[in-house]
Amino acid sequence: MNHTMLRELFRFSFSNRRMYFTAAMLLLAIIVLDFALGGKLLTEEDSFWNGFLDPVVGLGTLFTAFAVWWGEMSQDWRDNLPKRLTVDFLFNRRRVMRCENAYLAGESDIRALSMQIGAQMVKAQLDFKAAFVKSHGGEIRKSEDGGFELHYRATFELTKLPEKLEKMSTGQYLSWCPPFDEVEVKLIEEQEEDAPISTASMGR
């Protein structure tokens, strides 16, 4: 491992595991200081370690174990939540299609599922900027049944307007929502008509 990789590892540890990183650095500093003082901090019977730090470290170890367990349990709970996907299809930076709250198997299926949804909505294959497909989200929110779910969003920028959409008026878009019986035409909200849709403000 070269020094660049080591520096990035330390940076990642400090950013994402700051509590553990700080504890490790503090312990390392105490060991170095004890070595410089000839063992007066850690090894002597009446040392600072035996009189104070040992009980504190014991409690800290217990707390750390609980924190790790809690973190893993929280992550497992999050990973097992039902997943939903909302997809926006834009043309000239304006929404022309949206599918809301589609059932999603996993985060890796977002792109493929979005393409299938768009094709099914207009009964044709879509032409879009593949390099500009954006997906984000994964936020936890309340579901309609009172539980929780993970909600993802995706945005596709079309390069060609599908034939089914050519006759729609400005300010309208195709909408597909639960229970997914049929595709409807809806009006874009008034505040969205005067400004292009951005990926930072796709919420309704």
Side-chain angles (χ1 to χ4, degrees):
M1 180 180 292
N2 57 41
H3 68 280
T4 303
M5 293 175 62
L6 186 62
R7 184 174 65 249
E8 287 300 315
L9 178 59
F10 273 95
R11 183 181 301 172
F12 175 83
S13 300
F14 183 75
S15 300
N16 296 275
R17 300 290 188 272
R18 184 168 301 179
M19 182 180 67
Y20 306 130
F21 181 84
T22 303
M25 291 299 100
L26 181 60
L27 181 59
L28 179 61
I30 292 174
I31 293 174
V32 172
L33 182 60
D34 180 66
F35 180 78
L37 296 176
K40 293 182 178 180
L41 288 178
L42 301 178
T43 55
E44 292 185 358
E45 186 174 346
D46 58 347
S47 65
F48 181 64
W49 170 265
N50 291 322
F52 176 74
L53 279 185
D54 191 19
V56 172
V57 169
L59 289 175
T61 301
L62 181 62
F63 171 78
T64 300
F66 176 79
V68 170
W69 169 81
W70 181 263
E72 291 179 350
M73 185 184 66
S74 299
Q75 186 63 45
D76 289 343
W77 174 76
R78 186 181 187 279
D79 292 341
N80 283 280
L81 288 174
K83 299 171 181 61
R84 301 290 181 265
L85 172 66
T86 293
V87 190
D88 275 297
F89 298 89
L90 313 180
F91 183 70
N92 291 334
R93 295 183 58 79
R94 290 189 177 275
R95 183 192 303 141
V96 292
M97 292 192 297
R98 167 179 275 194
C99 176
E100 298 184 42
N101 299 328
Y103 293 91
L104 179 65
E107 190 173 352
S108 60
D109 298 325
I110 290 178
R111 189 184 182 100
L113 178 61
S114 299
M115 294 169 59
Q116 292 176 4
I117 287 173
Q120 189 168 348
M121 289 179 70
V122 296
K123 308 298 182 185
Q125 293 299 313
L126 300 176
D127 296 315
F128 59 91
K129 300 176 182 178
F132 288 93
V133 175
K134 297 180 180 180
S135 62
H136 57 97
E139 65 269 14
I140 299 174
R141 68 177 189 180
K142 276 278 191 178
S143 59
E144 292 183 357
D145 60 5
F148 292 91
E149 62 187 16
L150 277 177
H151 184 233
Y152 294 87
R153 294 182 182 272
T155 308
F156 284 66
E157 182 74 37
L158 302 180
T159 57
K160 180 181 178 182
L161 198 63
E163 183 178 349
K164 186 174 181 178
L165 304 178
E166 291 177 350
K167 298 181 180 179
M168 283 199 318
S169 302
T170 302
Q172 292 181 326
Y173 68 97
L174 284 185
S175 175
W176 201 17
C177 305
F180 302 109
D181 293 329
E182 59 183 46
V183 178
E184 301 177 345
V185 176
K186 289 187 177 182
L187 290 173
I188 295 177
E189 296 177 3
E190 184 175 347
Q191 63 266 28
E192 296 176 323
E193 293 179 349
D194 298 328
I197 297 172
S198 68
T199 55
S201 58
M202 293 193 303
R204 298 190 62 189

